[in-house]
Amino acid sequence: MATIKQILAANRQHRRARSQTVYINAYLQSNPLQNAHSPEVQLLAALRFYAGWSFLEVVGDGTGLSKASVSRSVAAVTPILLRHARTHIKMATTRDEVRMVHQGFHAVAGIPRVIGLVDGTPIHNPSLVEPCWIGRKHYAAINTQVVVDHHGLITDIVARWPGSTHDSFMWANSAVGQKAGRGVFGLSILLGDSGYPLRSDLVTPVTNPATPQEERCNEAHTRTRTKIERVFGIWKSRFRCIHRSSGGLRLSPIKCCRVIVVTAMLHNIAVRVGADEPPPVADEEEQSEDEALNPAMCEQHSIRPEPRPDRNLSTSSEA
């Protein structure tokens, strides 16, 4: 039997969802010249695009929409959904929330005080041709930094950097990385792979472990960090538009950044409502970044991070 607190929480969520739907409908109806289709049709077309492979797939579903109409729907709906990203993408802040996250991660492999896992993942975009967009996996992409919690929720996302940008550079220039460095998260730590610098707030695997204790530490670190690789797989399988097997997001960089953050928000909504996980997609390019060079080795290998892109290309939960 549901408690009064659960009923009140469900009512708040229902009212919030209803108000967001009314807001989206009102905005789309206020711009009839951009798209002749109803707000509901535009929203469904955009959601179908996120979940599918391409504009042509949406057109081929027999919706009666042209490719241009689907494109306009995605362009109209995405910025509206993006305005709700902060509501659905956020890290634990209260004492109770932080304690729950600590307990959730500790139950995996015994590492205490973990508040999140951080890693970068490339989002393929074949329309980007400049060399700075080519990552170490040899295809054009937007490198996206993601932080996840023990439930598989994306709690922070930064989609703004060219594919050649090193993960450690993204971390150093992100709001969440700077907050961690200032001690905003208190005694909490984040876990990252060996591509990140070892710090008091960001723990990476032990390089060349020489004792059984160090071996066990690395094993626990790896077991805990499998969560973020799993989140990447579910997120990209649920929203095929950001999966490399779809051919990549053939949109302008700023539109790509917006779609990436919106799909992360929708992933969180799906996790919170208990939606079924999508079947895994074969030939996924995701793999651990542990083979990436440690920033301390960058000078030795003459690796330098790419310059910061135009801020107009920035779309993240921190904005």
Side-chain angles (χ1 to χ4, degrees):
M1 183 175 180
T3 65
I4 295 178
K5 180 182 286 188
Q6 290 173 330
I7 294 173
L8 292 175
N11 287 337
R12 284 195 299 270
Q13 292 178 355
H14 177 73
R15 289 196 299 270
R16 188 182 301 116
R18 183 176 178 83
S19 65
Q20 291 174 354
T21 302
V22 171
Y23 172 80
I24 293 171
N25 287 345
Y27 184 88
L28 292 174
Q29 288 174 343
S30 67
N31 294 274
L33 297 180
Q34 294 183 3
N35 200 316
H37 298 284
S38 68
E40 291 80 6
V41 171
Q42 294 181 58
L43 178 59
L44 291 174
L47 294 176
R48 183 66 184 89
F49 169 75
Y50 301 150
W53 296 77
S54 65
F55 289 116
L56 293 179
E57 186 182 44
V58 183
V59 173
D61 285 342
T63 58
L65 302 177
S66 65
K67 181 179 177 181
S69 294
V70 176
S71 178
R72 286 194 295 269
S73 296
V74 172
V77 170
T78 301
I80 304 173
L81 295 178
L82 187 63
R83 299 176 188 181
H84 301 280
R86 288 185 181 180
T87 303
H88 300 281
I89 304 177
K90 56 185 179 181
M91 296 189 69
T93 53
T94 68
R95 181 176 300 179
D96 289 341
E97 290 174 344
V98 172
R99 185 176 67 251
M100 291 295 294
V101 177
H102 286 178
Q103 293 174 349
F105 279 123
H106 185 269
V108 177
I111 301 180
R113 298 186 289 108
V114 178
I115 197 172
L117 313 174
V118 60
D119 203 354
T121 183
I123 305 298
H124 187 40
N125 187 326
S127 63
L128 304 174
V129 296
E130 295 183 11
C132 72
W133 297 102
I134 308 299
R136 67 182 187 83
K137 294 182 180 178
H138 310 298
Y139 60 82
I142 294 172
N143 205 3
T144 303
Q145 177 183 282
V146 174
V147 177
V148 306
D149 70 3
H150 62 298
H151 286 309
L153 294 170
I154 296 174
T155 57
D156 191 86
I157 183 168
V158 181
R160 65 191 299 174
W161 297 103
S164 60
T165 309
H166 198 278
D167 288 353
S168 62
F169 184 81
M170 289 195 297
W171 175 255
N173 288 274
S174 67
V176 66
Q178 293 168 3
K179 287 179 181 178
R182 296 196 306 269
V184 172
F185 302 126
L187 297 177
S188 298
I189 61 173
L190 292 102
L191 300 185
D193 60 35
S194 58
Y196 292 91
L198 175 62
R199 295 171 22 174
S200 60
D201 53 270
L202 178 60
V203 177
T204 62
V206 178
T207 304
N208 301 320
T211 66
Q213 291 83 359
E214 292 177 344
E215 292 282 0
R216 288 197 296 270
C217 177
N218 279 2
E219 180 183 353
H221 193 283
T222 300
R223 285 174 55 194
T224 305
R225 287 197 69 260
T226 55
K227 169 66 72 173
I228 194 167
E229 300 298 337
R230 189 165 184 271
V231 169
F232 286 158
I234 294 172
W235 176 32
K236 292 186 178 184
S237 296
R238 180 170 277 139
F239 300 101
R240 297 290 186 87
C241 69
I242 60 172
H243 195 289
R244 191 185 176 195
S245 63
S246 70
L249 273 172
R250 298 178 180 273
L251 302 171
S252 66
I254 190 168
K255 289 182 180 180
C256 285
C257 294
R258 290 171 176 169
V259 169
I260 292 168
V261 177
V262 166
T263 57
M265 179 189 73
L266 296 174
H267 163 82
N268 283 357
I269 294 174
V271 172
R272 289 191 174 102
V273 301
D276 293 336
E277 294 182 2
V281 180
D283 301 324
E284 173 57 88
E285 78 280 5
E286 288 302 337
Q287 57 178 300
S288 175
E289 297 288 321
D290 286 349
E291 71 268 26
L293 292 174
N294 188 288
M297 301 172 63
C298 289
E299 189 67 27
Q300 175 183 349
H301 291 266
S302 300
I303 298 175
R304 296 184 179 181
E306 289 297 326
R308 185 169 185 169
D310 191 326
R311 288 187 61 87
N312 290 331
L313 303 184
S314 303
T315 306
S316 75
S317 62
E318 68 188 39

